[in-house]
Amino acid sequence: MPQPDHLICLDIPDAENLGEDMDAYLAKCEEKLGMVPNVLRAYAKHPAKLRNFVQTYNTLMLAPSGLSKLEREMVAVVVSSANRCYYCLVAHGQAVRALSGDPQLAEMLVMNHKVAELPPRERAIVDFAWTLTTAPMSVGEAERNALRTQGLTDADIFDLADVAAFFNYTNRVAHATEMMPNPEYHAMNR
Amino acid sequence: MPQPDHLICLDIPDAENLGEDMDAYLAKCEEKLGMVPNVLRAYAKHPAKLRNFVQTYNTLMLAPSGLSKLEREMVAVVVSSANRCYYCLVAHGQAVRALSGDPQLAEMLVMNHKVAELPPRERAIVDFAWTLTTAPMSVGEAERNALRTQGLTDADIFDLADVAAFFNYTNRVAHATEMMPNPEYHAMNR
Amino acid sequence: MPQPDHLICLDIPDAENLGEDMDAYLAKCEEKLGMVPNVLRAYAKHPAKLRNFVQTYNTLMLAPSGLSKLEREMVAVVVSSANRCYYCLVAHGQAVRALSGDPQLAEMLVMNHKVAELPPRERAIVDFAWTLTTAPMSVGEAERNALRTQGLTDADIFDLADVAAFFNYTNRVAHATEMMPNPEYHAMNR
Amino acid sequence: MPQPDHLICLDIPDAENLGEDMDAYLAKCEEKLGMVPNVLRAYAKHPAKLRNFVQTYNTLMLAPSGLSKLEREMVAVVVSSANRCYYCLVAHGQAVRALSGDPQLAEMLVMNHKVAELPPRERAIVDFAWTLTTAPMSVGEAERNALRTQGLTDADIFDLADVAAFFNYTNRVAHATEMMPNPEYHAMNR
Amino acid sequence: MPQPDHLICLDIPDAENLGEDMDAYLAKCEEKLGMVPNVLRAYAKHPAKLRNFVQTYNTLMLAPSGLSKLEREMVAVVVSSANRCYYCLVAHGQAVRALSGDPQLAEMLVMNHKVAELPPRERAIVDFAWTLTTAPMSVGEAERNALRTQGLTDADIFDLADVAAFFNYTNRVAHATEMMPNPEYHAMNR
Amino acid sequence: MPQPDHLICLDIPDAENLGEDMDAYLAKCEEKLGMVPNVLRAYAKHPAKLRNFVQTYNTLMLAPSGLSKLEREMVAVVVSSANRCYYCLVAHGQAVRALSGDPQLAEMLVMNHKVAELPPRERAIVDFAWTLTTAPMSVGEAERNALRTQGLTDADIFDLADVAAFFNYTNRVAHATEMMPNPEYHAMNR
């Protein structure tokens, strides 16, 4: 049962010119990761969308924040688990393996975050991300206070909400287009 | 029962400096709309986030696309109805009233999009947005073909998926922060 | 996109004779409201049903009760929001605007009752109505005690349950027949 | 485990005077059924509500209609099964046993209507009632046409919708008040 | 509306030889119950499956345990109510009537277990079974502690989980094959 | 974040004597797999349960059937994905990797079976397993015919239903006890 090697299930011609900044960015991906993540190749059909995606992604996932990079990747996996997004589970599952050095932790977050024995701060963070994804209308002061109790500032909560919400965006773009992840992720950091 | 005039339920200091481009952008909003939408004032706590939001929003909602601006606003309302997002229903409900000149259409999309007697193309568009929001795992070739049958190109489908997915992001940021819309929207275009 | 002006999507001849009491009642509606609400015109296909509806409606919504008329209209809107009933949201949304003088309150109850900052008594009332609508099996002594704590007597709770349950009836008649509200409601009390 | 003999879990004094018509009606119940159904004893706390209930019930369930009395009782059971309403399942389950002479049919409708091998007309009727109860927003022309195909007129569909919707009302009154059925029903027509 | 007398909706030839132990077991059923339960006749298509089912069933439902036989039958009914399994509700509903001598208790567990006024131990047991059936991911230490508070040992909890989980198996075999119960159950122990 | 090494979250003493057959069986596991799967160690608290589990498991998963062993393992994974059962996803995910030689296939079935491009027979099999797990009441002749169209006999359908239903049993035992899989599975067959 050989699996699909398409990027997305939409037939859209490649953009002729991505702009220097994006050409440089994709080259840097190739150099540092050994591949260009398929989400970037997909958004490269439309240079302005690619630029917006890269800038938003980098602000949310890589810029300084009260949330560690691992915590942000854990949120990405838990949201994608709720939405059953194959692309993001493969790509961000690998990121959790890489950042945590703990492949079992990544598997737990992919399959059922509740079985992971997390420190209270991380438990509060992933529970918030799960609730915001599956029952957004139910989030209120009680849910924010559960985070404050674990030491998150209001700016941290904004970052957490922003990251969790963002993967509800990317998960749906991946579902709608049947975007497939690069096969290289599977073997990394096992 | 006077209602809240807060922006968001998070206590975060204002950024000291938004950058010239963002200062100019907010001034233009004030000039053209008579107000700065609260979502911008909220994201202005964090200038990089504000810039990302503005650029992404403008690409998705205002740039040339096979989807009309009204169709994109209809998608925004239907997604926000599924997620019961007060901020986006108020703000984009007003946009549908303004662009369509049909206040009843906006009310139908807010309350129950199924009661609207839409042309087949618009019916297919809003049904796709609803399904991608409420059951993202179920979207596949059949759902994309229902759009192609109505004349959407694959590039149009990408735009539609991107817009519908994006409001699943903003809806959740608004829910998590209890963001309140500017009161001016309510009376406009009735 | 001109919207439908039909009453209901069922082709049933008008009744020949409504009876003097109902003729007088409809004439009074015309005189006092400037229109006959479409739900009455629809039930007028069957005079006994019209009479039952009018009597039940008037007992529940207009007769003396420990619940104010505004509270009963708020319940009507919140139940109809849960069921996404276009007819009742339009008609009773207008009633909340008229009785409260607060159009934003009506919008909040239509779109997402949780964002409204209500006094504790009204919060308890609309939460009970929402739960009885969406998860009727879960209502028990705890839910009734939450009302008693806010000063509702057991007779008030009976009235509240009766009103909330009744709109689960009318919402479904409206859904099943695709009943459309009078267009006059939209502009009133904005 | 002796079970409760209360009427309802609300402490409301009995009405002093039900009116001659209602006194006569309850006496006739006692004479014909050997009991006064508890729903009537509960509504008798409030004479106007009792009168409205009796008149509406009798129009819907006993007046001439294109739907047989058995069909209307089958709808009552299927709606109450969806809502898991103990009172109505016990009372109307007995009615289906009595009218059909088929206790297994009643059990199937109580437990899982899908296992009953019904004639196509009755299958269409109970499927419509189930859908209108559990997913009211999804009822449209296709669902009405499935009934028309089985010979129902539009007036019959109005009656069916009215009956199915009505039990969504009574089920919720019973849930909210924890109304208990008369124990006599259990042994009848087995 | 004569109902089906088939065992299951699959056309599979009978096994030629069940083995002496199974022949003896079925003969004993006939002798003691006056019938061979249809689930055994269905599994007799495949002797190894029949033997596994009989042994597992007898260990779970009849062997010594900290849970009484009635408690185990109550769990069977509540799980089957959540899954709306006609076969198991009929067969185990009869068992609850027989073991408890309380037909109303059985009806309550079939229709809506929440209306039964149970001793705290039995309430905790059936609530656990309901949750494990409908929301298995949500069961954790809090749910186990609610049982320990009522005096269940950890070995009792294992038995309870095993019984509740097992009926999620048999319910689905019955649904998938449309297995019908022996008609004799209906009249027994009313 | 070191993860738990407990078997289950229940404190039950080990059985003193498993019986010769079970001692031999566990020794054979150790020899052939290099470990005793934790589910067997957990059931070994109760020798009769262990024996029943082993015999049922071996009949369902290893005995001759019209379904291949890989197909049966695919069903195990898809059911466990619907129920989000960590134990079974880890253990049977490894089995799919081993039997198929295709680690990506296993990941797809764990994360979202819909993204796997399966031959029509396997697509029908896993879709049936998913539906029987998540909406058992909806399985009927149409769902069985979708399997017959792909060449499954009625005996094959019985086997498929039995396997899919069985993992709804084991998944819930694992959830209720928080059973943890042997860590060895994670690195195997990547």
Side-chain angles (χ1 to χ4, degrees):
Chain A
M1 301 173 205
Q3 296 302 323
D5 63 352
H6 63 252
L7 274 184
I8 56 173
C9 287
L10 292 173
D11 186 15
I12 305 175
D14 285 337
E16 290 185 16
N17 189 345
L18 295 179
E20 273 182 38
D21 58 340
M22 288 298 107
D23 284 338
Y25 186 78
L26 298 187
K28 201 166 100 182
C29 287
E30 184 69 52
E31 181 195 321
K32 288 182 64 170
L33 307 175
M35 62 180 166
V36 177
N38 282 352
V39 64
L40 301 181
R41 291 174 59 212
Y43 268 122
K45 306 286 188 183
H46 192 310
K49 290 189 180 193
L50 175 63
R51 189 170 292 105
N52 293 336
F53 178 83
V54 166
Q55 289 174 348
T56 301
Y57 185 90
N58 289 349
T59 299
L60 288 172
M61 299 302 282
L62 303 177
S65 163
L67 299 179
S68 73
K69 288 183 190 175
L70 173 56
E71 287 170 337
R72 286 178 268 177
E73 290 290 349
M74 290 169 66
V75 167
V77 172
V78 167
V79 169
S80 304
S81 173
N83 289 327
R84 299 188 186 272
C85 176
Y86 183 65
Y87 186 99
C88 297
L89 285 170
V90 168
H92 296 279
Q94 185 270 329
V96 170
R97 293 197 301 271
L99 289 170
S100 70
D102 182 352
Q104 281 192 52
L105 172 64
E107 290 292 86
M108 288 173 171
L109 299 181
V110 164
M111 292 171 177
N112 177 358
H113 71 93
K114 298 211 174 182
V115 304
E117 290 198 358
L118 302 174
R121 174 185 160 96
E122 276 69 35
R123 169 53 52 208
I125 287 171
V126 300
D127 282 353
F128 186 90
W130 182 269
T131 302
L132 186 59
T133 299
T134 59
M137 188 182 169
S138 71
V139 174
E141 194 67 4
E143 286 68 27
R144 289 186 295 269
N145 281 339
L147 296 166
R148 291 177 183 125
T149 300
Q150 297 303 328
L152 279 78
T153 65
D154 279 23
D156 296 342
I157 295 173
F158 195 17
D159 285 356
L160 168 56
D162 213 356
V163 170
F166 177 73
F167 284 95
N168 276 283
Y169 171 21
T170 63
N171 286 179
R172 281 178 177 78
V173 171
H175 274 302
T177 62
E178 296 188 50
M179 193 183 289
M180 297 300 290
N182 308 57
E184 288 85 347
Y185 288 118
H186 288 282
M188 294 163 77
N189 305 97
R190 293 284 177 190
Chain B
M1 301 174 205
Q3 296 301 323
D5 63 351
H6 63 252
L7 274 183
I8 56 173
C9 287
L10 293 173
D11 185 16
I12 305 175
D14 284 339
E16 291 186 16
N17 188 346
L18 295 180
E20 274 183 36
D21 57 340
M22 289 297 108
D23 284 338
Y25 187 79
L26 299 186
K28 202 165 100 184
C29 287
E30 184 71 52
E31 181 195 322
K32 289 182 62 171
L33 307 175
M35 62 179 165
V36 177
N38 282 352
V39 64
L40 301 181
R41 291 173 60 213
Y43 268 122
K45 307 286 188 181
H46 193 309
K49 290 189 179 192
L50 175 63
R51 189 170 291 106
N52 293 335
F53 178 84
V54 166
Q55 289 174 347
T56 302
Y57 185 90
N58 289 350
T59 299
L60 288 172
M61 299 302 282
L62 304 177
S65 163
L67 298 179
S68 73
K69 288 183 190 175
L70 173 57
E71 286 170 338
R72 287 178 269 177
E73 290 291 348
M74 289 168 67
V75 167
V77 172
V78 167
V79 169
S80 304
S81 173
N83 289 326
R84 298 188 185 273
C85 176
Y86 183 65
Y87 185 98
C88 297
L89 285 169
V90 168
H92 295 279
Q94 184 271 328
V96 169
R97 294 197 300 272
L99 289 169
S100 70
D102 182 352
Q104 280 193 53
L105 172 64
E107 289 294 84
M108 288 173 170
L109 299 182
V110 164
M111 293 172 176
N112 177 356
H113 73 91
K114 298 213 174 182
V115 304
E117 290 198 359
L118 302 174
R121 173 185 161 96
E122 276 69 36
R123 170 52 52 206
I125 286 171
V126 300
D127 282 352
F128 185 90
W130 182 269
T131 302
L132 186 61
T133 298
T134 59
M137 187 183 169
S138 72
V139 174
E141 195 68 3
E143 285 69 28
R144 289 186 294 269
N145 281 338
L147 296 166
R148 290 176 183 127
T149 300
Q150 297 303 329
L152 278 80
T153 66
D154 279 24
D156 296 342
I157 296 173
F158 196 18
D159 285 356
L160 168 56
D162 213 356
V163 170
F166 177 74
F167 283 95
N168 276 282
Y169 172 22
T170 62
N171 286 179
R172 281 177 177 79
V173 171
H175 273 302
T177 62
E178 297 189 49
M179 191 183 292
M180 297 300 290
N182 307 57
E184 289 85 346
Y185 287 119
H186 288 283
M188 294 164 76
N189 306 97
R190 295 287 178 188
Chain C
M1 302 174 205
Q3 296 301 325
D5 62 352
H6 62 252
L7 274 184
I8 56 173
C9 287
L10 292 173
D11 186 15
I12 305 176
D14 285 338
E16 291 187 15
N17 188 347
L18 294 179
E20 275 183 35
D21 58 341
M22 288 298 108
D23 284 339
Y25 186 79
L26 299 186
K28 200 166 100 183
C29 287
E30 185 69 52
E31 180 195 322
K32 289 182 62 170
L33 307 175
M35 62 179 165
V36 177
N38 282 352
V39 63
L40 301 181
R41 291 174 59 215
Y43 269 121
K45 307 286 188 182
H46 192 310
K49 291 188 181 195
L50 175 63
R51 188 169 292 105
N52 294 335
F53 178 83
V54 166
Q55 289 174 347
T56 301
Y57 185 90
N58 289 351
T59 299
L60 288 172
M61 299 302 282
L62 304 177
S65 163
L67 299 179
S68 73
K69 288 183 190 175
L70 172 56
E71 286 170 338
R72 288 179 267 177
E73 290 290 349
M74 289 169 67
V75 167
V77 172
V78 167
V79 168
S80 304
S81 174
N83 289 326
R84 298 188 186 273
C85 176
Y86 183 65
Y87 185 99
C88 298
L89 286 169
V90 168
H92 295 280
Q94 185 270 329
V96 170
R97 293 197 301 272
L99 289 170
S100 69
D102 182 351
Q104 280 192 55
L105 172 65
E107 289 293 85
M108 288 173 170
L109 299 182
V110 164
M111 293 171 177
N112 177 356
H113 72 93
K114 298 213 174 181
V115 305
E117 290 198 358
L118 302 174
R121 173 186 161 96
E122 276 69 35
R123 170 52 52 206
I125 287 171
V126 300
D127 282 353
F128 186 89
W130 182 269
T131 302
L132 186 60
T133 298
T134 59
M137 188 183 169
S138 72
V139 174
E141 194 68 3
E143 285 69 27
R144 288 186 294 269
N145 282 338
L147 296 166
R148 290 176 184 127
T149 301
Q150 296 304 328
L152 279 79
T153 66
D154 279 25
D156 296 342
I157 296 174
F158 195 19
D159 285 356
L160 168 56
D162 213 358
V163 170
F166 177 73
F167 284 95
N168 276 282
Y169 171 22
T170 62
N171 286 179
R172 281 177 177 79
V173 171
H175 273 302
T177 62
E178 296 189 49
M179 192 182 289
M180 297 301 289
N182 308 56
E184 289 85 347
Y185 288 118
H186 288 282
M188 293 163 77
N189 305 97
R190 293 285 177 189
Chain D
M1 302 174 204
Q3 297 302 323
D5 63 351
H6 62 252
L7 275 183
I8 56 174
C9 287
L10 293 173
D11 186 15
I12 304 175
D14 286 337
E16 291 185 17
N17 188 346
L18 294 180
E20 273 182 38
D21 58 339
M22 288 298 108
D23 284 338
Y25 186 78
L26 298 187
K28 200 166 100 183
C29 287
E30 184 70 52
E31 180 195 321
K32 288 181 63 172
L33 307 175
M35 62 180 167
V36 176
N38 282 352
V39 64
L40 301 182
R41 292 174 59 213
Y43 269 122
K45 307 286 187 181
H46 194 310
K49 289 189 180 193
L50 175 63
R51 188 169 291 106
N52 293 336
F53 178 83
V54 166
Q55 288 173 349
T56 301
Y57 185 91
N58 289 350
T59 300
L60 288 173
M61 299 302 281
L62 303 176
S65 163
L67 299 180
S68 73
K69 289 182 189 175
L70 173 56
E71 286 170 338
R72 287 178 268 177
E73 290 291 348
M74 290 169 66
V75 167
V77 173
V78 166
V79 169
S80 303
S81 173
N83 289 326
R84 297 188 186 273
C85 176
Y86 183 65
Y87 185 99
C88 297
L89 286 169
V90 168
H92 295 280
Q94 185 270 329
V96 169
R97 292 197 302 272
L99 289 170
S100 70
D102 182 351
Q104 280 192 54
L105 173 64
E107 289 293 84
M108 288 174 170
L109 299 182
V110 164
M111 293 171 177
N112 177 355
H113 72 91
K114 297 212 174 182
V115 304
E117 290 198 358
L118 302 174
R121 173 185 161 96
E122 276 69 34
R123 170 53 52 206
I125 287 171
V126 299
D127 283 353
F128 186 90
W130 182 268
T131 302
L132 186 60
T133 298
T134 58
M137 188 183 169
S138 72
V139 174
E141 194 69 2
E143 285 68 28
R144 289 186 294 268
N145 282 338
L147 296 166
R148 291 176 183 127
T149 301
Q150 297 303 329
L152 279 79
T153 65
D154 279 25
D156 297 342
I157 296 174
F158 195 18
D159 284 355
L160 168 56
D162 213 356
V163 170
F166 177 73
F167 284 94
N168 276 282
Y169 171 22
T170 63
N171 286 179
R172 280 177 177 80
V173 171
H175 273 303
T177 62
E178 295 189 49
M179 191 182 291
M180 297 300 289
N182 308 56
E184 289 85 346
Y185 288 119
H186 289 282
M188 293 164 76
N189 305 98
R190 293 287 177 189
Chain E
M1 303 173 204
Q3 296 301 324
D5 62 352
H6 63 252
L7 275 184
I8 56 174
C9 287
L10 293 173
D11 185 15
I12 305 176
D14 285 337
E16 290 186 16
N17 189 346
L18 294 180
E20 273 182 36
D21 58 341
M22 288 298 108
D23 284 339
Y25 186 79
L26 299 187
K28 201 165 101 183
C29 287
E30 184 71 51
E31 180 195 322
K32 288 181 64 171
L33 307 175
M35 64 179 164
V36 177
N38 281 353
V39 65
L40 301 181
R41 291 174 60 213
Y43 268 121
K45 306 286 188 183
H46 192 311
K49 290 189 180 194
L50 175 63
R51 189 170 292 106
N52 293 336
F53 178 83
V54 166
Q55 289 174 348
T56 301
Y57 185 90
N58 289 350
T59 299
L60 288 172
M61 299 302 282
L62 304 176
S65 162
L67 299 179
S68 72
K69 288 183 190 175
L70 173 56
E71 286 170 338
R72 288 178 267 177
E73 290 290 348
M74 289 168 68
V75 168
V77 173
V78 167
V79 169
S80 303
S81 173
N83 289 326
R84 299 189 186 271
C85 176
Y86 183 65
Y87 185 99
C88 297
L89 285 170
V90 168
H92 295 279
Q94 185 271 327
V96 170
R97 293 197 300 271
L99 289 170
S100 70
D102 182 352
Q104 280 192 54
L105 172 64
E107 290 293 85
M108 287 174 171
L109 299 182
V110 163
M111 293 170 176
N112 177 356
H113 72 92
K114 297 212 174 182
V115 303
E117 291 199 357
L118 301 175
R121 173 185 161 96
E122 277 68 36
R123 171 52 52 206
I125 286 172
V126 301
D127 283 352
F128 186 90
W130 181 270
T131 302
L132 186 60
T133 297
T134 59
M137 188 183 169
S138 71
V139 174
E141 194 69 2
E143 285 70 26
R144 288 185 296 268
N145 282 339
L147 296 166
R148 291 176 183 126
T149 300
Q150 297 303 328
L152 279 79
T153 66
D154 279 25
D156 297 342
I157 295 173
F158 195 18
D159 285 355
L160 168 55
D162 214 356
V163 170
F166 177 73
F167 283 95
N168 276 283
Y169 172 21
T170 62
N171 286 179
R172 280 177 177 79
V173 171
H175 273 303
T177 62
E178 296 188 49
M179 191 183 292
M180 297 301 289
N182 308 56
E184 289 86 347
Y185 288 118
H186 289 282
M188 293 164 77
N189 305 97
R190 294 285 177 191
Chain F
M1 303 172 203
Q3 296 302 324
D5 62 352
H6 62 252
L7 274 184
I8 56 174
C9 286
L10 292 173
D11 186 14
I12 305 175
D14 285 338
E16 291 186 16
N17 188 347
L18 294 179
E20 273 182 38
D21 58 340
M22 288 299 107
D23 284 338
Y25 186 78
L26 299 187
K28 201 164 101 183
C29 288
E30 185 69 53
E31 182 196 321
K32 288 182 64 171
L33 307 175
M35 62 178 166
V36 177
N38 282 353
V39 63
L40 301 182
R41 290 173 61 212
Y43 268 122
K45 306 286 188 182
H46 193 310
K49 290 189 180 193
L50 175 63
R51 189 169 291 106
N52 293 335
F53 178 83
V54 167
Q55 289 174 347
T56 301
Y57 185 90
N58 289 351
T59 299
L60 288 172
M61 299 302 281
L62 303 177
S65 162
L67 299 179
S68 72
K69 288 183 190 175
L70 173 56
E71 286 169 338
R72 286 178 269 177
E73 290 290 348
M74 290 169 67
V75 167
V77 173
V78 167
V79 169
S80 304
S81 173
N83 289 326
R84 298 188 185 272
C85 176
Y86 183 65
Y87 186 99
C88 297
L89 286 169
V90 168
H92 295 280
Q94 185 271 328
V96 169
R97 293 197 301 271
L99 288 170
S100 70
D102 182 352
Q104 280 192 54
L105 172 64
E107 289 293 84
M108 287 173 171
L109 299 181
V110 163
M111 293 170 176
N112 177 355
H113 72 92
K114 298 213 174 182
V115 304
E117 290 198 358
L118 301 174
R121 174 185 161 96
E122 277 69 36
R123 170 52 51 207
I125 286 171
V126 301
D127 282 353
F128 185 90
W130 182 269
T131 302
L132 186 60
T133 298
T134 58
M137 187 183 169
S138 71
V139 174
E141 195 69 3
E143 285 69 27
R144 289 186 295 269
N145 281 338
L147 295 167
R148 290 176 184 127
T149 301
Q150 297 302 328
L152 279 79
T153 65
D154 279 24
D156 297 342
I157 295 173
F158 195 18
D159 285 355
L160 168 56
D162 214 356
V163 170
F166 177 74
F167 284 95
N168 276 283
Y169 171 23
T170 62
N171 286 179
R172 280 177 178 80
V173 171
H175 273 302
T177 63
E178 296 189 49
M179 191 182 291
M180 297 299 291
N182 308 57
E184 289 85 346
Y185 287 119
H186 289 282
M188 295 163 75
N189 305 98
R190 293 286 178 190

